[in-house]
Amino acid sequence: MYNIQKAVSRLDYAPKLKEIQVTDFQKGLGNFTPQPDKPVSFAALKATLKKAGYTLDAADITVSGKLLNDESGWSLVVGQSGQRFKLTGPNLDQVLSGWKSGVTVDISGDWQTVGMATNVHEVIEPAPRKQTLLRFPGVDRAESPLFINASFNEPLPEPVSVSANKRSAPIRVTSPGLTVYKGGAVTPRFYFVKQHLGSLEVSRQLAELSVSYTPSPRVQLEIEAPFSHTEYDDQRQSGSTTGLGNIIMWGKYRFFRKVKTYGDRQAAFRAGLELPTGSKSAPGQARVNVPAFVRQQLTPINGGLSPHFDLAFSQAGGRFIFGGNAEAIFRTEREGFRMGHEQRFSTDFEYVLPRDPHKPGRELFLILETTFVHRSLGRLNSHEVLGSSSTEYYLAPGLQYAARPQFVIEGSYQFPVVRNTGPLALRTDRNLLLGVRVLF
């Protein structure tokens, strides 16, 4: 919904963003009252929505103005903007029967832009008079386009990354959707992770800030900046490390989209570059008595400069949403250390509980995500470390609540179902995620 409002708000004659409404989500209906002193254009509305990924099927307009009958036929002239709407259609004689030129009226009907170049003009085809024509004799009032009601084939908004891009977005699984066209999203997230290896107990608190921007209907740019605090206890000594993690810069290209009722299908390719910005200082053996490769895993990083490649797909229909992605990470060493290269396969299942099935907003998303991760052998001092590989499969039930079109609250709890890890790889017991998404 927010994506539609954002697109319409770019029109010269559009009102404030909050005054643009989507009134029926399933049927794809929206309305707004344009600025009274600005001329309106159906063609401009259609083009603006098309740039944002929407197809305008039709639009009705209600206009207050003075009737004018001249050599070109009947027209309706708006007082404040001076714009002229030509009246046409099979119902015109019946609608205007008994009225004279100069009368102030309201007329509603199908709205179009016709003509080319210097001959472009706006046209209203009124419906039968009993539904569309009211007379206000002797009343001095402002004359302006009163109301525009648009009907469009609606790819669902992405909260946000709005999102994202469908009505909302998965939490841990990559969404092929984009955030708001010529807008974006700010997503702060907090992770609380519990790990262990033998007698070593590890607790991580990770804060991650993601900022995305969508400069076109197909492209999204994003940056992620994590900050980590890790506490460890080997039953003899305890300690902690704190530091910045590796920043990742992403670019996403949505190469496929097919609109469906109350949903759509879409696919995207995403590439990222993980920069060696994180803290690399690991605690010494005097602080925690475990092998050097294990101590390196207590830092906020998994290696150095690392490219990421991701392919994502989703399909939404009715109240059900399914998605998935495949990601490959190729890690390089930093100070002689890196974890193994990773292959990730994730799925996302969502069920939407709308407050009102016909209107967007205040939906509750019931989410179940799965993640399969295979990590090859890591390296230390340029040598492969036997026992550092792992194969794991996780489930993550979650909830997402669209409190407002621009604001989403989310959380999920991830736990292992299959965990086949080597003797030198930390084992994740649980991972709690809490976050919000704010569209702009």
Side-chain angles (χ1 to χ4, degrees), residues 49-305:
L49 288 171
K50 184 177 180 180
K51 288 181 181 178
Y54 299 86
T55 301
L56 181 64
D57 277 351
D60 293 334
I61 189 169
T62 300
V63 178
S64 174
K66 290 185 178 181
L67 283 174
L68 177 66
N69 188 12
D70 55 21
E71 65 278 1
S72 64
W74 286 98
S75 300
L76 192 64
V77 181
V78 178
Q80 290 191 41
S81 67
Q83 186 174 15
R84 176 180 295 197
F85 293 82
K86 185 174 178 59
L87 303 179
T88 186
N91 300 311
L92 188 59
D93 290 340
Q94 187 266 334
V95 167
L96 300 181
S97 176
W99 305 114
K100 297 180 179 180
S101 183
V103 174
T104 299
V105 295
D106 283 359
I107 289 184
S108 295
D110 181 67
W111 176 33
Q112 294 288 332
T113 299
V114 300
M116 298 181 64
T118 58
N119 193 34
V120 173
H121 55 280
E122 305 302 306
V123 171
I124 301 175
E125 183 177 316
R129 175 174 172 175
K130 63 179 181 179
Q131 299 178 5
T132 60
L133 185 60
L134 296 175
R135 183 185 185 188
F136 300 89
V139 178
D140 183 15
R141 61 194 195 95
E143 301 161 5
S144 64
L146 294 176
F147 179 77
I148 294 173
N149 187 26
S151 174
F152 40 83
N153 285 328
E154 181 182 17
L156 298 171
E158 3 216 353
V160 268
S161 157
V162 189
S163 82
N165 160 114
K166 41 188 188 290
R167 290 174 292 280
S168 189
I171 299 176
R172 299 176 187 267
V173 177
T174 301
S175 168
L178 311 181
T179 49
V180 182
Y181 169 50
K182 291 192 176 178
V186 177
T187 307
R189 284 176 163 177
F190 302 91
Y191 298 81
F192 303 89
V193 184
K194 180 70 171 62
Q195 296 176 302
H196 82 279
L197 184 62
S199 61
L200 176 65
E201 299 289 334
V202 180
S203 296
R204 298 182 189 268
Q205 296 86 48
L206 176 67
E208 180 183 87
L209 179 64
S210 171
V211 179
S212 63
Y213 181 74
T214 304
S216 83
R218 291 181 177 268
V219 176
Q220 177 180 300
L221 306 175
E222 186 175 6
I223 185 169
E224 294 177 4
F227 188 83
S228 174
H229 175 74
T230 302
E231 299 174 349
Y232 52 85
D233 187 342
D234 67 356
Q235 308 303 317
R236 292 187 296 273
Q237 296 186 77
S238 61
S240 64
T241 62
T242 301
L244 178 71
N246 285 347
I247 292 174
I248 307 179
M249 302 176 65
W250 292 98
K252 182 193 292 185
Y253 177 72
R254 181 171 59 193
F255 58 86
F256 170 78
R257 190 178 199 183
K258 185 175 181 180
V259 178
K260 294 181 64 178
T261 301
Y262 204 62
D264 63 348
R265 287 185 291 172
Q266 52 188 328
F269 174 74
R270 187 173 72 146
L273 188 62
E274 184 176 336
L275 306 177
T277 56
S279 173
K280 59 182 184 295
S281 299
Q285 192 164 8
R287 295 178 61 186
V288 53
N289 188 25
V290 293
F293 187 82
V294 177
R295 295 199 304 273
Q296 287 287 346
Q297 293 175 65
L298 300 177
T299 68
I301 67 172
N302 288 321
L305 190 71

Side-chain angles (χ1 to χ4, degrees), residues 17 53 115 176 182 330:
L17 183 67
K182 291 192 176 178
F330 301 94

Side-chain angles (χ1 to χ4, degrees), residues 356-377:
D356 184 330
H358 299 290
K359 295 182 180 180
R362 299 190 184 178
E363 297 104 339
L364 179 65
F365 294 76
L366 309 182
I367 298 175
L368 178 62
E369 295 174 298
T370 72
T371 302
F372 172 84
V373 184
H374 174 72
R375 183 183 293 118
S376 62
L377 292 175

